Every structure is written in C-alpha cells, then in structure tokens.
Amino acid sequence: MTQQSEWEPKLLGFLCRWCSYAGADLAGTSRKKYPANIRAIKVPCSSRVDSLFIIKALRLGFDGVLVSGCHPGDCHYLTGNYRARRRIAITKKFLEYLGVEPERIQASWVSASEGGKFAEVVTEVTGDLKKVGPNQLFAERKLAKEN
Amino acid sequence: MEQKLRQEAKALLEQNKVDWIIGFEPGSLKFTATPLITRDKNDTERLIINPFIVNNLADFLTGIKGRVGIVAKGCDSRSIVSLIQDNKVAREDIVILAVPCLGLIDLAKIERLVDKDRDELDDITREEDKVIIKVDGQKKEFAINQTLFDHCIACELPTPQEYDILLGEPRPPAPELEVSGQNIEKLKETTPGERWEFWQNEFSRCIRCYACRNACPACFCQRCFVEETEPQWVMPVPRWQDNLIFQVVRNIHVAGRCTDCGECERVCPVNIPLRSLTREMYDIVDELFQFKSGMDKEAQPLMTHYEQEEAEDLFR
Ligand code: SF4
Ligand code: SF4
Ligand code: FES
C-alpha cells in the first residue's frame, strides 16, 4: 500500500540534441523546477527514434515515453521532425487501438531557448502518467489481474 | 483468360521481353494453386487462373534478378506499385499481366459452411454471384460473399490499375468495407485493458514462425530487427510479449506499404486475426495522411514525405 502512495512514474525522454536536449539543459541552468521522473536520452534528431524504441521502453517497464525535437521548420536536418511526426502519429494511434493508454506516448517540440517549456512539458506528462498509473502492459497475466 | 495468359506469357519469354514469368500452377492438394516461377517457355502451359490463386506474387519480385512478367490480381498489383514507389523494382523491368479478380475462395469458410473437410469435397465452382459445392453427390449453392476471404469482399481494386496486358474484362470495385471492419469495430467498443488482453491472448499462440513476415511483399528488409542481437530487441523465445512487439513493430514498419492484402493472416498457422491489425493501420494512415498504399506509382512513399501542417494535435 505504501508503494501505491509513493509510486512515481518513470518517463523515458528521447531528446534531439539540437533543440530539446539543449532546452532541457537550459531548464537546468536557469533553475526551472520540473519533476525528476524523466530519464533523458540524447538522440541526433527526433527522426532517429524508431517506433521500436518506444515500444521497447514500455516493455522494459517505463510508464511513458516522450519524444521531443525541434519545432516544425527548425530541424537541424531540415525535414527530420516532419518524418518523426508521421511516425509518432501512427505509432500513438496504433498502440492506442491495441489498448495502450495514449498518455504513455507523448511528443513535443521544444527549442533550445525554451527551458521553461521543457519544464512545463515534463510536469504535464508526469501528471498524465500519475493519472494512468503504473505500466502493467507487459507484466505476466496473473500479475496484471492481482493488482 | 487462362488461354490468353498462357499465350502472352509464352510470347514474352520467346520474344525475350522478360527473363522470368511468375504465375500460378495447380497445387498438389485439391483446390490449391502454387506459385510457378520459370524461365522455360514450355512451363507456361501449366499457368492457371482460378479462385484459388491466393498468394501475393509481388513477394517474389524483390528476390529475383532480371525482367519479370508477373501475373497480378488487383491486390498484387497494389503491392507491386508500392515496391515501385520504394524503388525496390523498376517499372520498366516488369510486365504486369493483369487479372480482373472475382475474389478468392476461402476454404476455411467453405469447410464451415458445409461442415466437411476440404478433402471430402468433390468440386467447387464459382459463377458470377454464387459458388456451387459438390459434396456427397449433392450440389450446394452459396452466395459468393459467404465464401470469399474477408479482404476480397472489402477489395477496393479488383482489377489492377497499373498493368501492361489486361487478361479479361475489368471489374468495377464494390467494396463492402463493413465486413472487413467487423472485428475492429467490436474491439473498439471495449476498454483499452480489454483490448490489450485480447491481443495478449492472441499472441500467446504465436510460434514466431515468421510466415507472416515472409509472405508479406512489404516486408523486404535484408535483416529484420527481430534477428538483431546487438541490441536484442526481442527475445527469440516466443513469449507473448515479444510476439506482440514483433507484430506491432512490423505493422508500423510496413505502414504506408501494407495494402491490407491479407496474406499475413492467411498464412498464419495459428489463425491470429492479423488483418484486424493491418486494416486498422491502413485506415489510420488514410485518415491522418490521406494515403492509400499502392494506388499511385507516382505518389511519394508515406514515410519519406510530409506536409507542413499535419498531425499537430498530437504534439505539445
Ligand atoms: S504467422 Fe502467426 S504464428 Fe507465425 S510469426 Fe506470424 S503471427 Fe506468429
Ligand atoms: S502486412 Fe499483411 S496485409 Fe499488409 S501487405 Fe504485408 S502481408 Fe499483406
Ligand atoms: S534535429 Fe531536432 S528534430 Fe531534427
């Protein structure tokens, strides 16, 4: 029971190195407060994120995944984030159809100068994940029922 | 139609317009056809067209070198177009022998209708809108749609749009999309938890034979992510978790190239309703990006293209 009340969601963030990762850095250096629930992985571009990464993260027990890149039009590689947008959109919709709560798959555009926005996004996403609760998707069936 | 096909195929080989012919010949079991891949003009005598030519022959195109004459139903032609879009085959290297398709007969449905094994049936004949089954000296008649594969009932393109030689009268599409979506609609009425449990159950049967992937013309990677070991994305042991991940990621990877031809579902030895995944992805892609796989060879592949403004509501 104590576990329940103390439960904190684990969020995996794939942050593009040119914008969102720098945005996260800025949030830190400008002492913006945001929940410590996110573990960040630096990726060259949001388009580096194969849907496989997202699903694997859920399989490994992360409660949610956030992919964040440069704003449309600002991708360092010009069109990477447009392609990422298509891929993330179908991944989210498809997983939702399969029964994955949509809150678990999140995406945002955060530029290098948007430290404040980064903090907001992480706060909001963490809040969403607290609402949907722990990720039991890949737990063995018995476990899923007992809880 | 069959005669015309044999003549055309023979002529193509004789005139050295193609190196290979890919078509169908009678299978070794009753009511089956099997792919025929040949460079010998005499083999063209064995080519057939009937309601049992179920395979999607486009699957063979990526494994063959040289110019190919290929027999294509509407669905096959869409897979071919999709391969052309992806630069996997060159349009000028293939001659499409187009079959206006009346729909393919699903033997599993027939078995259920007459409550007999396929081996016990004497004959199955298809007429314009009905199917006649001879069994135990009796004739039984069924409406055509009772006997066809679901994906044939929902077919949006019975006659290839892209072809070189048309083998018969073109047939207008008359898709009954509801038939295809029945299972999906039911699933959508359930809660996310129930849906997940449904798929969990289905994929606990998967034996990871990869028949679905191997039969799929859109799955042409030299090395599939399931075989990668550094990192090992999925475990080789067929546990439901990894089975499900395999299939979900496969569906995402073929999005915009999967034409919902139904091959994966047909070949699955444990009857997992894979079309309830492919159809949904097909619809998601159409809804979000107004893209229908394999319809237009000039269209940019789904995943290499974008519009400035789209799907923005999913982003913060
Ligand atoms: S064909 Fe069926 S059993 Fe074989 S790998 Fe695909 S889903 Fe699994
Ligand atoms: S995923 Fe299945 S339905 Fe889609 S093209 Fe491949 S075999 Fe056909
Ligand atoms: S470099 Fe940031 S999204 Fe492409």
Side-chain angles (χ1 to χ4, degrees), chain B residues 56 79 212 215-219 250-251 254 257-265 275 278:
Chain B
N56 186 334
S79 299
C212 49
C216 176
C219 269
R250 192 179 85 80
N251 269 271
V254 297
R257 295 184 290 121
C258 166
T259 57
D260 190 34
C261 70
E263 272 294 83
C264 47
E265 177 166 301
R275 275 201 64 243
T278 58

mmCIF file of all heavy atoms in Angstrom, chain B residues 56 79 212 215-219 250-251 254 257-265 275 278, ligand 2:
data_model
loop_
_atom_site.group_PDB
_atom_site.id
_atom_site.type_symbol
_atom_site.label_atom_id
_atom_site.label_comp_id
_atom_site.label_asym_id
_atom_site.label_seq_id
_atom_site.Cartn_x
_atom_site.Cartn_y
_atom_site.Cartn_z
ATOM 1 N N ASN B 56 0.160 -13.695 -52.786
ATOM 2 C CA ASN B 56 0.512 -12.387 -53.322
ATOM 3 C C ASN B 56 1.893 -12.519 -53.964
ATOM 4 O O ASN B 56 2.912 -12.543 -53.288
ATOM 5 C CB ASN B 56 0.540 -11.348 -52.204
ATOM 6 C CG ASN B 56 0.751 -9.938 -52.727
ATOM 7 O OD1 ASN B 56 1.329 -9.753 -53.802
ATOM 8 N ND2 ASN B 56 0.298 -8.950 -51.987
ATOM 9 N N SER B 79 0.587 -4.077 -54.397
ATOM 10 C CA SER B 79 1.872 -4.346 -53.749
ATOM 11 C C SER B 79 3.018 -4.042 -54.704
ATOM 12 O O SER B 79 4.065 -3.535 -54.300
ATOM 13 C CB SER B 79 1.946 -5.801 -53.288
ATOM 14 O OG SER B 79 0.926 -6.073 -52.357
ATOM 15 N N CYS B 212 4.162 -14.806 -41.528
ATOM 16 C CA CYS B 212 3.506 -13.536 -41.850
ATOM 17 C C CYS B 212 4.494 -12.587 -42.517
ATOM 18 O O CYS B 212 4.212 -11.974 -43.534
ATOM 19 C CB CYS B 212 2.894 -12.910 -40.599
ATOM 20 S SG CYS B 212 4.013 -12.839 -39.186
ATOM 21 N N ALA B 215 5.713 -13.924 -46.045
ATOM 22 C CA ALA B 215 4.732 -13.875 -47.129
ATOM 23 C C ALA B 215 4.425 -12.441 -47.526
ATOM 24 O O ALA B 215 3.785 -12.194 -48.538
ATOM 25 C CB ALA B 215 3.448 -14.583 -46.706
ATOM 26 N N CYS B 216 4.878 -11.504 -46.719
ATOM 27 C CA CYS B 216 4.489 -10.103 -46.937
ATOM 28 C C CYS B 216 5.382 -9.427 -47.968
ATOM 29 O O CYS B 216 6.593 -9.359 -47.792
ATOM 30 C CB CYS B 216 4.570 -9.339 -45.623
ATOM 31 S SG CYS B 216 4.217 -7.589 -45.825
ATOM 32 N N PRO B 217 4.788 -8.910 -49.039
ATOM 33 C CA PRO B 217 5.604 -8.231 -50.048
ATOM 34 C C PRO B 217 6.189 -6.921 -49.531
ATOM 35 O O PRO B 217 7.190 -6.447 -50.063
ATOM 36 C CB PRO B 217 4.615 -7.960 -51.193
ATOM 37 C CG PRO B 217 3.261 -8.151 -50.632
ATOM 38 C CD PRO B 217 3.369 -8.976 -49.393
ATOM 39 N N ALA B 218 5.589 -6.364 -48.490
ATOM 40 C CA ALA B 218 6.095 -5.097 -47.964
ATOM 41 C C ALA B 218 7.253 -5.317 -46.993
ATOM 42 O O ALA B 218 8.004 -4.401 -46.695
ATOM 43 C CB ALA B 218 4.972 -4.319 -47.282
ATOM 44 N N CYS B 219 7.389 -6.513 -46.473
ATOM 45 C CA CYS B 219 8.492 -6.848 -45.564
ATOM 46 C C CYS B 219 9.660 -7.336 -46.402
ATOM 47 O O CYS B 219 9.765 -8.524 -46.700
ATOM 48 C CB CYS B 219 8.087 -7.963 -44.599
ATOM 49 S SG CYS B 219 7.370 -7.388 -43.065
ATOM 50 N N ARG B 250 6.324 -4.630 -36.730
ATOM 51 C CA ARG B 250 6.221 -4.995 -38.151
ATOM 52 C C ARG B 250 5.131 -4.159 -38.830
ATOM 53 O O ARG B 250 5.325 -3.597 -39.902
ATOM 54 C CB ARG B 250 5.903 -6.475 -38.307
ATOM 55 C CG ARG B 250 6.072 -6.987 -39.728
ATOM 56 C CD ARG B 250 5.755 -8.472 -39.819
ATOM 57 N NE ARG B 250 4.340 -8.694 -39.995
ATOM 58 C CZ ARG B 250 3.718 -8.586 -41.158
ATOM 59 N NH1 ARG B 250 4.401 -8.278 -42.238
ATOM 60 N NH2 ARG B 250 2.429 -8.788 -41.256
ATOM 61 N N ASN B 251 3.997 -4.062 -38.181
ATOM 62 C CA ASN B 251 2.907 -3.282 -38.757
ATOM 63 C C ASN B 251 3.272 -1.807 -38.927
ATOM 64 O O ASN B 251 2.902 -1.188 -39.912
ATOM 65 C CB ASN B 251 1.640 -3.400 -37.898
ATOM 66 C CG ASN B 251 0.748 -4.538 -38.350
ATOM 67 O OD1 ASN B 251 -0.109 -4.354 -39.204
ATOM 68 N ND2 ASN B 251 0.975 -5.718 -37.811
ATOM 69 N N VAL B 254 5.668 -1.415 -41.890
ATOM 70 C CA VAL B 254 5.094 -1.548 -43.236
ATOM 71 C C VAL B 254 3.937 -0.566 -43.481
ATOM 72 O O VAL B 254 3.291 -0.616 -44.524
ATOM 73 C CB VAL B 254 4.627 -2.992 -43.570
ATOM 74 C CG1 VAL B 254 5.799 -3.954 -43.573
ATOM 75 C CG2 VAL B 254 3.520 -3.459 -42.651
ATOM 76 N N ARG B 257 2.827 0.932 -46.829
ATOM 77 C CA ARG B 257 3.217 -0.004 -47.879
ATOM 78 C C ARG B 257 2.315 -1.229 -47.824
ATOM 79 O O ARG B 257 2.085 -1.890 -48.819
ATOM 80 C CB ARG B 257 4.686 -0.379 -47.720
ATOM 81 C CG ARG B 257 5.557 0.856 -47.942
ATOM 82 C CD ARG B 257 7.022 0.583 -47.904
ATOM 83 N NE ARG B 257 7.444 0.252 -46.556
ATOM 84 C CZ ARG B 257 8.023 -0.888 -46.232
ATOM 85 N NH1 ARG B 257 8.247 -1.788 -47.146
ATOM 86 N NH2 ARG B 257 8.383 -1.117 -44.994
ATOM 87 N N CYS B 258 1.826 -1.524 -46.623
ATOM 88 C CA CYS B 258 0.858 -2.608 -46.473
ATOM 89 C C CYS B 258 -0.432 -2.198 -47.164
ATOM 90 O O CYS B 258 -0.975 -1.135 -46.919
ATOM 91 C CB CYS B 258 0.586 -2.871 -45.002
ATOM 92 S SG CYS B 258 -0.870 -3.898 -44.720
ATOM 93 N N THR B 259 -0.904 -3.070 -48.050
ATOM 94 C CA THR B 259 -2.127 -2.771 -48.793
ATOM 95 C C THR B 259 -3.317 -3.521 -48.203
ATOM 96 O O THR B 259 -4.373 -3.555 -48.794
ATOM 97 C CB THR B 259 -1.959 -3.192 -50.262
ATOM 98 O OG1 THR B 259 -1.616 -4.586 -50.272
ATOM 99 C CG2 THR B 259 -0.857 -2.399 -50.937
ATOM 100 N N ASP B 260 -3.106 -4.141 -47.068
ATOM 101 C CA ASP B 260 -4.142 -4.957 -46.433
ATOM 102 C C ASP B 260 -4.574 -6.091 -47.375
ATOM 103 O O ASP B 260 -5.748 -6.357 -47.550
ATOM 104 C CB ASP B 260 -5.340 -4.074 -46.047
ATOM 105 C CG ASP B 260 -6.336 -4.832 -45.167
ATOM 106 O OD1 ASP B 260 -5.903 -5.677 -44.372
ATOM 107 O OD2 ASP B 260 -7.551 -4.580 -45.306
ATOM 108 N N CYS B 261 -3.576 -6.729 -47.969
ATOM 109 C CA CYS B 261 -3.869 -7.801 -48.930
ATOM 110 C C CYS B 261 -4.288 -9.089 -48.233
ATOM 111 O O CYS B 261 -4.804 -10.017 -48.854
ATOM 112 C CB CYS B 261 -2.645 -8.086 -49.795
ATOM 113 S SG CYS B 261 -1.284 -8.872 -48.897
ATOM 114 N N GLY B 262 -4.025 -9.179 -46.933
ATOM 115 C CA GLY B 262 -4.493 -10.333 -46.176
ATOM 116 C C GLY B 262 -3.581 -11.547 -46.197
ATOM 117 O O GLY B 262 -3.908 -12.575 -45.605
ATOM 118 N N GLU B 263 -2.425 -11.426 -46.834
ATOM 119 C CA GLU B 263 -1.530 -12.583 -46.903
ATOM 120 C C GLU B 263 -1.069 -13.043 -45.526
ATOM 121 O O GLU B 263 -1.046 -14.240 -45.228
ATOM 122 C CB GLU B 263 -0.294 -12.262 -47.761
ATOM 123 C CG GLU B 263 -0.487 -12.535 -49.226
ATOM 124 C CD GLU B 263 -0.658 -14.028 -49.511
ATOM 125 O OE1 GLU B 263 -1.794 -14.523 -49.361
ATOM 126 O OE2 GLU B 263 0.314 -14.678 -49.898
ATOM 127 N N CYS B 264 -0.700 -12.080 -44.671
ATOM 128 C CA CYS B 264 -0.173 -12.456 -43.349
ATOM 129 C C CYS B 264 -1.206 -13.274 -42.578
ATOM 130 O O CYS B 264 -0.898 -14.310 -42.010
ATOM 131 C CB CYS B 264 0.244 -11.218 -42.568
ATOM 132 S SG CYS B 264 -0.955 -9.886 -42.562
ATOM 133 N N GLU B 265 -2.444 -12.801 -42.596
ATOM 134 C CA GLU B 265 -3.488 -13.521 -41.861
ATOM 135 C C GLU B 265 -3.709 -14.904 -42.465
ATOM 136 O O GLU B 265 -3.881 -15.892 -41.766
ATOM 137 C CB GLU B 265 -4.791 -12.721 -41.876
ATOM 138 C CG GLU B 265 -5.925 -13.456 -41.191
ATOM 139 C CD GLU B 265 -7.115 -12.572 -40.882
ATOM 140 O OE1 GLU B 265 -6.943 -11.576 -40.157
ATOM 141 O OE2 GLU B 265 -8.216 -12.880 -41.371
ATOM 142 N N ARG B 275 -5.349 -9.384 -39.789
ATOM 143 C CA ARG B 275 -5.951 -8.287 -40.574
ATOM 144 C C ARG B 275 -6.637 -7.270 -39.682
ATOM 145 O O ARG B 275 -6.874 -6.144 -40.110
ATOM 146 C CB ARG B 275 -6.931 -8.834 -41.616
ATOM 147 C CG ARG B 275 -6.217 -9.246 -42.901
ATOM 148 C CD ARG B 275 -7.159 -9.297 -44.080
ATOM 149 N NE ARG B 275 -7.710 -8.015 -44.403
ATOM 150 C CZ ARG B 275 -9.008 -7.715 -44.351
ATOM 151 N NH1 ARG B 275 -9.889 -8.628 -43.987
ATOM 152 N NH2 ARG B 275 -9.428 -6.523 -44.673
ATOM 153 N N THR B 278 -3.668 -5.009 -39.595
ATOM 154 C CA THR B 278 -3.286 -4.350 -40.851
ATOM 155 C C THR B 278 -4.373 -3.401 -41.339
ATOM 156 O O THR B 278 -4.090 -2.311 -41.822
ATOM 157 C CB THR B 278 -2.978 -5.369 -41.963
ATOM 158 O OG1 THR B 278 -4.115 -6.197 -42.189
ATOM 159 C CG2 THR B 278 -1.792 -6.241 -41.599
HETATM 160 S S1 SF4 C 2 1.377 -6.735 -43.627
HETATM 161 FE FE1 SF4 C 2 -0.007 -8.444 -44.214
HETATM 162 S S2 SF4 C 2 -1.757 -7.442 -45.200
HETATM 163 FE FE2 SF4 C 2 -0.087 -5.947 -45.167
HETATM 164 S S3 SF4 C 2 0.932 -6.142 -47.173
HETATM 165 FE FE3 SF4 C 2 2.040 -7.477 -45.679
HETATM 166 S S4 SF4 C 2 1.048 -9.500 -45.886
HETATM 167 FE FE4 SF4 C 2 -0.339 -8.002 -46.878
#
